[in-house]
Amino acid sequence: EDQVTQSPEALRLQEGESSSLNCSYTVSGLRGLFWYRQDPGKGPEFLFTLYSAGEEKEKERLKATLTKKESFLHITAPKPEDSATYLCAAANQGGKLIFGQGTELSVKP
Amino acid sequence: DTEVTQTPKHLVMGMTNKKSLKCEQHMGHRAMYWYKQKAKKPPELMFVYSYEKLSINESVPSRFSPECPNSSLLNLHLHALQPEDSALYLCASSQEGWMSTDTQYFGPGTRLTVL
């Protein structure tokens, strides 16, 4: 069965304290790994798409990496405005997005 | 521009009402999606339209009825809903058809409350 697991469920950081979010996946014929940011009551905002192991993408303080079994979202020197829920989703062989439960990130000043 | 718009932002309805949610995109995307999201949970896929044809129905109750009048517009007709249907309803679109690996871009959602 296709499954995506994110850890930790919640993460509290001080401003400037770098950390990583984990996304482990078991998906038949992975066709893409997607990261989204979601603020409360709003729709998910697209961050990154990764297609193959070894691929890395960066945007401001965020960097996403992909291996054959997991993906990491590294946050460097986070700011309070980075507080949100970060969702990981893997596209399976049929094209369906399998979402993880999300990591709720809180960055305190 | 990767904008998907949804109206209304908020909707309160009784169990006997009929209402509709609307989603629009002008990016020329050929696949459009409806998701349901409960609090503290990830989005759950409901329907997929690919090239204006219904491609996926994830065993959604018939009180939810999707419609794709044209390639830019997606509706979700609601009738005789239950309080447990209260949720954030999200629309998304992607460039190519359903089976592609294109990124799905989400709208801001409609917060639905069923009394």
Side-chain angles (χ1 to χ4, degrees):
Chain A
E1 182 185 349
D2 295 334
Q3 193 169 355
V4 174
T5 303
Q6 290 187 246
S7 62
E9 290 184 12
L11 181 62
R12 294 182 181 180
L13 299 174
Q14 287 298 123
E15 185 172 0
E17 180 186 2
S18 301
S19 187
S20 294
L21 282 55
N22 177 263
C23 171
S24 298
Y25 62 88
T26 50
V27 168
S28 59
L30 180 75
R31 300 186 67 189
L33 191 292
F34 303 83
W35 283 98
Y36 292 88
R37 168 197 169 124
Q38 187 171 27
D39 293 303
K42 298 191 176 180
E45 175 190 345
F46 169 69
L47 294 174
F48 302 108
T49 305
L50 302 165
Y51 289 110
S52 55
E55 193 173 357
E56 298 182 352
K57 288 193 177 172
E58 284 187 70
K59 178 182 177 183
E60 296 181 354
R61 295 178 292 282
L62 300 177
K63 179 180 176 180
T65 62
L66 182 65
T67 72
K68 288 187 178 179
K69 292 185 178 181
E70 55 194 349
S71 178
F72 294 94
L73 184 66
H74 307 277
I75 303 178
T76 302
K79 298 182 177 182
E81 53 262 42
D82 294 322
S83 298
T85 295
Y86 289 85
L87 292 168
C88 167
N92 67 9
Q93 204 161 10
K96 180 178 177 180
L97 285 186
I98 311 299
F99 281 89
Q101 294 295 309
T103 293
E104 189 174 349
L105 174 66
S106 175
V107 182
K108 299 299 182 186
Chain B
D1 184 14
T2 54
E3 188 177 24
V4 176
T5 60
Q6 291 186 242
T7 54
K9 289 185 179 179
H10 302 276
L11 179 62
V12 179
M13 60 185 291
M15 288 190 286
T16 58
N17 292 159
K18 286 185 181 180
K19 296 286 185 183
S20 297
L21 308 185
K22 179 180 172 181
C23 172
E24 211 161 355
Q25 57 87 15
H26 295 288
M27 299 175 281
H29 287 182
R30 304 315 302 267
M32 296 185 77
Y33 311 76
W34 280 116
Y35 287 85
K36 172 182 177 179
Q37 186 176 28
K38 303 283 272 185
K40 303 287 189 183
K41 296 291 186 182
E44 297 174 33
L45 184 64
M46 299 174 71
F47 303 103
V48 181
Y49 273 84
S50 185
Y51 294 90
E52 300 171 46
K53 288 188 165 64
L54 183 63
S55 299
I56 298 287
N57 176 342
E58 291 282 285
S59 302
V60 179
S62 60
R63 57 186 184 269
F64 295 91
S65 175
E67 179 195 19
C68 188
N70 59 57
S71 60
S72 300
L73 191 55
L74 186 65
N75 297 320
L76 186 63
H77 303 296
L78 313 172
H79 173 55
L81 294 192
Q82 303 297 312
E84 58 264 30
D85 295 321
S86 298
L88 182 67
Y89 287 83
L90 296 163
C91 175
S93 70
S94 61
Q95 179 94 31
E96 297 299 331
W98 157 239
M99 294 293 288
S100 77
T101 56
D102 290 334
T103 298
Q104 292 183 28
Y105 295 93
F106 287 83
T110 293
R111 171 67 62 190
L112 173 67
T113 302
V114 182
L115 301 176

Short mmCIF file of all heavy atoms in Angstrom, two decimals, chain A residues 31-32 34 36 38 41-46 49 51 87 91 93-97 99-102 104, chain B residues 33 35 37 40-45 58 88 90 98-109 111:
data_model
loop_
_atom_site.label_atom_id
_atom_site.label_comp_id
_atom_site.label_asym_id
_atom_site.label_seq_id
_atom_site.Cartn_x
_atom_site.Cartn_y
_atom_site.Cartn_z
N ARG A 31 6.58 8.87 -9.11
CA ARG A 31 6.65 9.70 -10.31
C ARG A 31 6.97 11.16 -9.98
O ARG A 31 7.10 11.98 -10.88
CB ARG A 31 5.33 9.60 -11.07
CG ARG A 31 5.03 8.17 -11.50
CD ARG A 31 3.84 8.10 -12.37
NE ARG A 31 4.08 8.76 -13.66
CZ ARG A 31 3.15 9.00 -14.55
NH1 ARG A 31 1.89 8.65 -14.30
NH2 ARG A 31 3.43 9.59 -15.68
N GLY A 32 7.09 11.47 -8.69
CA GLY A 32 7.43 12.82 -8.29
C GLY A 32 7.17 13.00 -6.82
O GLY A 32 6.29 12.35 -6.26
N PHE A 34 6.55 16.03 -3.94
CA PHE A 34 6.16 17.42 -3.89
C PHE A 34 6.15 17.93 -2.44
O PHE A 34 5.72 17.22 -1.53
CB PHE A 34 4.75 17.60 -4.48
CG PHE A 34 4.62 17.09 -5.89
CD1 PHE A 34 4.39 15.75 -6.16
CD2 PHE A 34 4.74 17.96 -6.96
CE1 PHE A 34 4.29 15.27 -7.46
CE2 PHE A 34 4.64 17.50 -8.26
CZ PHE A 34 4.42 16.16 -8.51
N TYR A 36 4.71 21.18 -0.13
CA TYR A 36 3.82 22.32 -0.06
C TYR A 36 3.90 22.95 1.33
O TYR A 36 4.15 22.26 2.32
CB TYR A 36 2.35 21.90 -0.30
CG TYR A 36 2.04 21.43 -1.70
CD1 TYR A 36 2.20 20.09 -2.06
CD2 TYR A 36 1.55 22.32 -2.65
CE1 TYR A 36 1.89 19.65 -3.33
CE2 TYR A 36 1.23 21.89 -3.94
CZ TYR A 36 1.41 20.55 -4.26
OH TYR A 36 1.09 20.13 -5.54
N GLN A 38 1.40 25.14 3.97
CA GLN A 38 0.01 25.50 4.16
C GLN A 38 -0.16 26.33 5.43
O GLN A 38 0.20 25.88 6.52
CB GLN A 38 -0.90 24.26 4.22
CG GLN A 38 -2.38 24.62 4.25
CD GLN A 38 -3.28 23.43 4.10
OE1 GLN A 38 -2.93 22.30 4.44
NE2 GLN A 38 -4.50 23.66 3.58
N GLY A 41 -6.20 27.61 7.43
CA GLY A 41 -7.39 28.05 6.70
C GLY A 41 -7.16 28.40 5.24
O GLY A 41 -8.06 28.90 4.57
N LYS A 42 -5.95 28.13 4.72
CA LYS A 42 -5.63 28.48 3.33
C LYS A 42 -5.25 27.23 2.55
O LYS A 42 -5.01 26.17 3.12
CB LYS A 42 -4.51 29.51 3.28
CG LYS A 42 -4.88 30.82 3.97
CD LYS A 42 -3.87 31.90 3.69
CE LYS A 42 -4.32 33.21 4.30
NZ LYS A 42 -3.36 34.31 4.05
N GLY A 43 -5.20 27.37 1.23
CA GLY A 43 -4.81 26.25 0.40
C GLY A 43 -3.31 26.03 0.41
O GLY A 43 -2.53 26.95 0.69
N PRO A 44 -2.86 24.80 0.14
CA PRO A 44 -1.42 24.53 0.08
C PRO A 44 -0.74 25.36 -1.00
O PRO A 44 -1.26 25.50 -2.11
CB PRO A 44 -1.37 23.04 -0.26
CG PRO A 44 -2.68 22.49 0.20
CD PRO A 44 -3.65 23.59 -0.04
N GLU A 45 0.43 25.89 -0.65
CA GLU A 45 1.24 26.68 -1.57
C GLU A 45 2.41 25.82 -2.04
O GLU A 45 3.17 25.29 -1.23
CB GLU A 45 1.76 27.94 -0.87
CG GLU A 45 2.72 28.78 -1.69
CD GLU A 45 3.38 29.87 -0.85
OE1 GLU A 45 2.89 30.14 0.26
OE2 GLU A 45 4.39 30.45 -1.31
N PHE A 46 2.57 25.69 -3.34
CA PHE A 46 3.63 24.85 -3.90
C PHE A 46 5.01 25.38 -3.57
O PHE A 46 5.27 26.59 -3.68
CB PHE A 46 3.45 24.75 -5.41
CG PHE A 46 4.62 24.13 -6.12
CD1 PHE A 46 4.90 22.78 -5.95
CD2 PHE A 46 5.45 24.89 -6.92
CE1 PHE A 46 5.99 22.20 -6.59
CE2 PHE A 46 6.53 24.32 -7.57
CZ PHE A 46 6.81 22.98 -7.40
N THR A 49 9.20 20.47 -6.50
CA THR A 49 8.98 19.13 -7.07
C THR A 49 10.34 18.50 -7.30
O THR A 49 11.24 19.13 -7.86
CB THR A 49 8.25 19.21 -8.42
OG1 THR A 49 7.03 19.93 -8.27
CG2 THR A 49 7.94 17.80 -8.92
N TYR A 51 12.11 14.83 -8.80
CA TYR A 51 11.74 13.68 -9.63
C TYR A 51 12.67 12.48 -9.49
O TYR A 51 12.25 11.35 -9.74
CB TYR A 51 11.68 14.09 -11.10
CG TYR A 51 10.51 14.96 -11.44
CD1 TYR A 51 10.68 16.30 -11.77
CD2 TYR A 51 9.21 14.45 -11.43
CE1 TYR A 51 9.59 17.10 -12.08
CE2 TYR A 51 8.11 15.25 -11.73
CZ TYR A 51 8.32 16.57 -12.06
OH TYR A 51 7.25 17.37 -12.35
N LEU A 87 3.61 20.16 4.03
CA LEU A 87 3.06 18.90 3.53
C LEU A 87 3.98 18.31 2.47
O LEU A 87 4.45 19.01 1.58
CB LEU A 87 1.68 19.13 2.90
CG LEU A 87 0.54 19.54 3.82
CD1 LEU A 87 -0.65 20.01 3.02
CD2 LEU A 87 0.13 18.37 4.71
N ALA A 91 3.68 11.28 -5.77
CA ALA A 91 2.81 10.86 -6.86
C ALA A 91 3.11 9.41 -7.19
O ALA A 91 4.26 9.05 -7.49
CB ALA A 91 3.02 11.74 -8.09
N GLN A 93 2.29 5.57 -9.22
CA GLN A 93 2.34 5.16 -10.62
C GLN A 93 1.11 5.64 -11.40
O GLN A 93 1.18 5.94 -12.58
CB GLN A 93 2.43 3.63 -10.68
CG GLN A 93 3.03 3.09 -11.95
CD GLN A 93 3.50 1.67 -11.75
OE1 GLN A 93 3.20 1.03 -10.74
NE2 GLN A 93 4.24 1.16 -12.69
N GLY A 94 -0.02 5.74 -10.68
CA GLY A 94 -1.25 6.18 -11.34
C GLY A 94 -1.41 7.68 -11.40
O GLY A 94 -2.39 8.18 -11.93
N GLY A 95 -0.45 8.41 -10.83
CA GLY A 95 -0.51 9.86 -10.86
C GLY A 95 -1.19 10.49 -9.65
O GLY A 95 -1.27 11.70 -9.54
N LYS A 96 -1.66 9.66 -8.73
CA LYS A 96 -2.36 10.20 -7.56
C LYS A 96 -1.36 10.68 -6.52
O LYS A 96 -0.34 10.04 -6.28
CB LYS A 96 -3.25 9.10 -6.95
CG LYS A 96 -4.02 9.55 -5.72
CD LYS A 96 -4.91 8.44 -5.19
CE LYS A 96 -5.63 8.87 -3.92
NZ LYS A 96 -6.51 7.82 -3.38
N LEU A 97 -1.65 11.83 -5.90
CA LEU A 97 -0.81 12.34 -4.82
C LEU A 97 -1.18 11.65 -3.51
O LEU A 97 -2.33 11.67 -3.09
CB LEU A 97 -1.00 13.85 -4.65
CG LEU A 97 -0.37 14.77 -5.69
CD1 LEU A 97 -0.54 16.23 -5.26
CD2 LEU A 97 1.09 14.45 -5.89
N PHE A 99 -0.51 12.04 0.29
CA PHE A 99 -0.02 13.04 1.21
C PHE A 99 0.42 12.43 2.54
O PHE A 99 -0.18 11.46 3.02
CB PHE A 99 -1.13 14.07 1.52
CG PHE A 99 -1.32 15.10 0.46
CD1 PHE A 99 -2.20 14.88 -0.58
CD2 PHE A 99 -0.62 16.29 0.50
CE1 PHE A 99 -2.39 15.85 -1.57
CE2 PHE A 99 -0.80 17.26 -0.47
CZ PHE A 99 -1.69 17.04 -1.51
N GLY A 100 1.46 13.02 3.13
CA GLY A 100 1.78 12.76 4.52
C GLY A 100 0.86 13.58 5.42
O GLY A 100 0.08 14.40 4.94
N GLN A 101 0.98 13.35 6.74
CA GLN A 101 0.12 14.05 7.69
C GLN A 101 0.57 15.48 7.95
O GLN A 101 -0.15 16.26 8.56
CB GLN A 101 0.09 13.29 9.02
CG GLN A 101 -0.57 11.93 8.91
CD GLN A 101 -2.04 12.02 8.56
OE1 GLN A 101 -2.81 12.74 9.19
NE2 GLN A 101 -2.46 11.30 7.53
N GLY A 102 1.76 15.84 7.48
CA GLY A 102 2.25 17.20 7.65
C GLY A 102 3.11 17.37 8.89
O GLY A 102 3.02 16.61 9.85
N GLU A 104 3.91 20.49 11.52
CA GLU A 104 3.53 21.84 11.93
C GLU A 104 4.75 22.53 12.52
O GLU A 104 5.25 22.15 13.58
CB GLU A 104 2.40 21.77 12.95
CG GLU A 104 1.78 23.11 13.28
CD GLU A 104 0.57 22.98 14.19
OE1 GLU A 104 0.08 21.85 14.39
OE2 GLU A 104 0.11 24.02 14.69
N TYR B 33 -8.98 19.33 -10.10
CA TYR B 33 -9.19 18.41 -8.98
C TYR B 33 -10.06 19.06 -7.89
O TYR B 33 -9.95 20.27 -7.66
CB TYR B 33 -7.85 18.04 -8.34
CG TYR B 33 -6.76 17.60 -9.28
CD1 TYR B 33 -6.07 18.52 -10.07
CD2 TYR B 33 -6.39 16.26 -9.37
CE1 TYR B 33 -5.06 18.12 -10.92
CE2 TYR B 33 -5.37 15.86 -10.21
CZ TYR B 33 -4.71 16.79 -10.99
OH TYR B 33 -3.71 16.39 -11.83
N TYR B 35 -10.52 18.47 -3.75
CA TYR B 35 -10.06 17.82 -2.53
C TYR B 35 -10.92 18.29 -1.36
O TYR B 35 -11.43 19.41 -1.35
CB TYR B 35 -8.61 18.19 -2.21
CG TYR B 35 -7.55 17.57 -3.08
CD1 TYR B 35 -7.17 18.14 -4.30
CD2 TYR B 35 -6.88 16.43 -2.66
CE1 TYR B 35 -6.18 17.59 -5.08
CE2 TYR B 35 -5.86 15.87 -3.43
CZ TYR B 35 -5.52 16.45 -4.63
OH TYR B 35 -4.52 15.90 -5.39
N GLN B 37 -10.55 18.73 2.89
CA GLN B 37 -9.55 18.71 3.95
C GLN B 37 -10.21 19.03 5.29
O GLN B 37 -10.79 20.10 5.47
CB GLN B 37 -8.43 19.71 3.68
CG GLN B 37 -7.28 19.63 4.68
CD GLN B 37 -6.13 20.56 4.34
OE1 GLN B 37 -6.32 21.60 3.72
NE2 GLN B 37 -4.93 20.19 4.76
N LYS B 40 -6.43 19.65 10.69
CA LYS B 40 -5.24 18.90 11.10
C LYS B 40 -5.01 17.63 10.29
O LYS B 40 -4.28 16.73 10.74
CB LYS B 40 -5.32 18.53 12.59
CG LYS B 40 -5.49 19.71 13.52
CD LYS B 40 -4.24 20.53 13.63
CE LYS B 40 -4.38 21.58 14.73
NZ LYS B 40 -3.19 22.45 14.81
N LYS B 41 -5.64 17.52 9.12
CA LYS B 41 -5.48 16.35 8.25
C LYS B 41 -4.99 16.81 6.88
O LYS B 41 -5.20 17.96 6.50
CB LYS B 41 -6.82 15.61 8.08
CG LYS B 41 -7.37 15.03 9.37
CD LYS B 41 -6.52 13.87 9.85
CE LYS B 41 -7.14 13.21 11.06
NZ LYS B 41 -6.29 12.11 11.57
N PRO B 42 -4.39 15.91 6.10
CA PRO B 42 -3.99 16.30 4.75
C PRO B 42 -5.19 16.32 3.80
O PRO B 42 -6.24 15.75 4.13
CB PRO B 42 -3.00 15.19 4.35
CG PRO B 42 -3.42 14.01 5.15
CD PRO B 42 -3.95 14.55 6.45
N PRO B 43 -5.06 16.93 2.64
CA PRO B 43 -6.16 16.91 1.66
C PRO B 43 -6.46 15.48 1.20
O PRO B 43 -5.56 14.66 1.05
CB PRO B 43 -5.61 17.75 0.50
CG PRO B 43 -4.53 18.59 1.10
CD PRO B 43 -3.93 17.75 2.19
N GLU B 44 -7.75 15.22 0.96
CA GLU B 44 -8.20 13.93 0.44
C GLU B 44 -8.81 14.15 -0.94
O GLU B 44 -9.72 14.97 -1.10
CB GLU B 44 -9.29 13.32 1.34
CG GLU B 44 -8.89 12.97 2.74
CD GLU B 44 -10.11 12.52 3.54
OE1 GLU B 44 -11.03 11.91 2.94
OE2 GLU B 44 -10.17 12.80 4.74
N LEU B 45 -8.34 13.40 -1.90
CA LEU B 45 -8.84 13.55 -3.27
C LEU B 45 -10.30 13.10 -3.37
O LEU B 45 -10.68 12.06 -2.81
CB LEU B 45 -7.98 12.71 -4.22
CG LEU B 45 -8.31 12.82 -5.71
CD1 LEU B 45 -8.06 14.22 -6.22
CD2 LEU B 45 -7.50 11.79 -6.50
N GLU B 58 -13.40 9.26 -6.29
CA GLU B 58 -12.88 8.45 -5.20
C GLU B 58 -14.02 7.97 -4.29
O GLU B 58 -14.01 8.21 -3.07
CB GLU B 58 -11.85 9.24 -4.40
CG GLU B 58 -10.56 9.51 -5.14
CD GLU B 58 -9.65 8.28 -5.17
OE1 GLU B 58 -9.04 7.96 -4.15
OE2 GLU B 58 -9.56 7.65 -6.25
N LEU B 88 -12.74 22.17 4.67
CA LEU B 88 -12.18 23.09 3.67
C LEU B 88 -12.14 22.34 2.34
O LEU B 88 -11.55 21.26 2.25
CB LEU B 88 -10.77 23.50 4.08
CG LEU B 88 -10.04 24.50 3.17
CD1 LEU B 88 -10.72 25.87 3.20
CD2 LEU B 88 -8.57 24.63 3.58
N LEU B 90 -10.90 22.21 -1.41
CA LEU B 90 -9.82 22.75 -2.20
C LEU B 90 -9.95 22.33 -3.66
O LEU B 90 -10.27 21.17 -3.95
CB LEU B 90 -8.47 22.26 -1.67
CG LEU B 90 -8.10 22.70 -0.25
CD1 LEU B 90 -6.97 21.82 0.28
CD2 LEU B 90 -7.68 24.14 -0.25
N TRP B 98 -4.45 13.96 -16.24
CA TRP B 98 -4.42 13.32 -14.95
C TRP B 98 -3.21 12.43 -14.73
O TRP B 98 -2.63 12.42 -13.66
CB TRP B 98 -5.71 12.51 -14.80
CG TRP B 98 -5.71 11.38 -13.83
CD1 TRP B 98 -5.95 10.08 -14.10
CD2 TRP B 98 -5.46 11.45 -12.43
NE1 TRP B 98 -5.88 9.33 -12.94
CE2 TRP B 98 -5.58 10.14 -11.92
CE3 TRP B 98 -5.14 12.49 -11.56
CZ2 TRP B 98 -5.40 9.86 -10.55
CZ3 TRP B 98 -4.97 12.20 -10.20
CH2 TRP B 98 -5.10 10.89 -9.72
N MET B 99 -2.75 11.71 -15.73
CA MET B 99 -1.69 10.74 -15.53
C MET B 99 -0.29 11.37 -15.59
O MET B 99 0.71 10.68 -15.45
CB MET B 99 -1.78 9.64 -16.59
CG MET B 99 -3.03 8.79 -16.46
SD MET B 99 -3.03 7.82 -14.95
CE MET B 99 -1.79 6.59 -15.35
N SER B 100 -0.21 12.66 -15.78
CA SER B 100 1.11 13.29 -15.85
C SER B 100 1.67 13.47 -14.44
O SER B 100 0.99 13.22 -13.45
CB SER B 100 1.00 14.65 -16.53
OG SER B 100 0.45 15.60 -15.62
N THR B 101 2.92 13.91 -14.37
CA THR B 101 3.53 14.16 -13.05
C THR B 101 3.67 15.66 -12.83
O THR B 101 4.52 16.10 -12.08
CB THR B 101 4.90 13.51 -12.97
OG1 THR B 101 5.71 13.97 -14.04
CG2 THR B 101 4.79 12.00 -13.02
N ASP B 102 2.83 16.44 -13.48
CA ASP B 102 2.92 17.88 -13.31
C ASP B 102 2.49 18.31 -11.92
O ASP B 102 1.64 17.67 -11.28
CB ASP B 102 2.01 18.59 -14.32
CG ASP B 102 2.54 18.47 -15.73
OD1 ASP B 102 3.76 18.31 -15.90
OD2 ASP B 102 1.72 18.53 -16.67
N THR B 103 3.03 19.42 -11.50
CA THR B 103 2.69 19.97 -10.19
C THR B 103 1.24 20.39 -10.15
O THR B 103 0.71 20.97 -11.10
CB THR B 103 3.57 21.20 -9.92
OG1 THR B 103 4.95 20.79 -9.89
CG2 THR B 103 3.21 21.85 -8.59
N GLN B 104 0.58 20.07 -9.05
CA GLN B 104 -0.78 20.53 -8.82
C GLN B 104 -0.72 21.85 -8.04
O GLN B 104 -0.06 21.94 -7.01
CB GLN B 104 -1.58 19.50 -8.02
CG GLN B 104 -1.85 18.24 -8.80
CD GLN B 104 -2.71 17.25 -8.03
OE1 GLN B 104 -3.52 17.65 -7.18
NE2 GLN B 104 -2.55 15.98 -8.32
N TYR B 105 -1.42 22.86 -8.55
CA TYR B 105 -1.49 24.15 -7.89
C TYR B 105 -2.87 24.30 -7.27
O TYR B 105 -3.89 24.09 -7.94
CB TYR B 105 -1.23 25.28 -8.90
CG TYR B 105 0.17 25.26 -9.45
CD1 TYR B 105 0.46 24.59 -10.63
CD2 TYR B 105 1.21 25.87 -8.77
CE1 TYR B 105 1.75 24.53 -11.13
CE2 TYR B 105 2.50 25.83 -9.26
CZ TYR B 105 2.77 25.16 -10.43
OH TYR B 105 4.05 25.10 -10.90
N PHE B 106 -2.87 24.66 -5.99
CA PHE B 106 -4.12 24.72 -5.23
C PHE B 106 -4.68 26.13 -5.14
O PHE B 106 -3.94 27.12 -5.11
CB PHE B 106 -3.89 24.20 -3.80
CG PHE B 106 -3.72 22.72 -3.72
CD1 PHE B 106 -2.49 22.13 -3.97
CD2 PHE B 106 -4.79 21.90 -3.40
CE1 PHE B 106 -2.33 20.75 -3.91
CE2 PHE B 106 -4.65 20.52 -3.32
CZ PHE B 106 -3.41 19.95 -3.58
N GLY B 107 -6.01 26.19 -5.06
CA GLY B 107 -6.68 27.44 -4.76
C GLY B 107 -6.74 27.68 -3.26
O GLY B 107 -6.26 26.85 -2.48
N PRO B 108 -7.32 28.81 -2.85
CA PRO B 108 -7.35 29.16 -1.43
C PRO B 108 -8.37 28.36 -0.62
O PRO B 108 -8.32 28.35 0.62
CB PRO B 108 -7.73 30.64 -1.44
CG PRO B 108 -8.47 30.82 -2.72
CD PRO B 108 -7.85 29.87 -3.70
N GLY B 109 -9.30 27.71 -1.30
CA GLY B 109 -10.27 26.88 -0.60
C GLY B 109 -11.58 27.59 -0.28
O GLY B 109 -11.65 28.82 -0.26
N ARG B 111 -14.33 27.38 2.80
CA ARG B 111 -14.64 26.82 4.13
C ARG B 111 -16.13 26.58 4.20
O ARG B 111 -16.92 27.53 4.20
CB ARG B 111 -14.20 27.79 5.22
CG ARG B 111 -14.66 27.43 6.63
CD ARG B 111 -14.01 26.18 7.14
NE ARG B 111 -12.56 26.31 7.24
CZ ARG B 111 -11.75 25.31 7.49
NH1 ARG B 111 -12.22 24.09 7.64
NH2 ARG B 111 -10.45 25.51 7.57
#
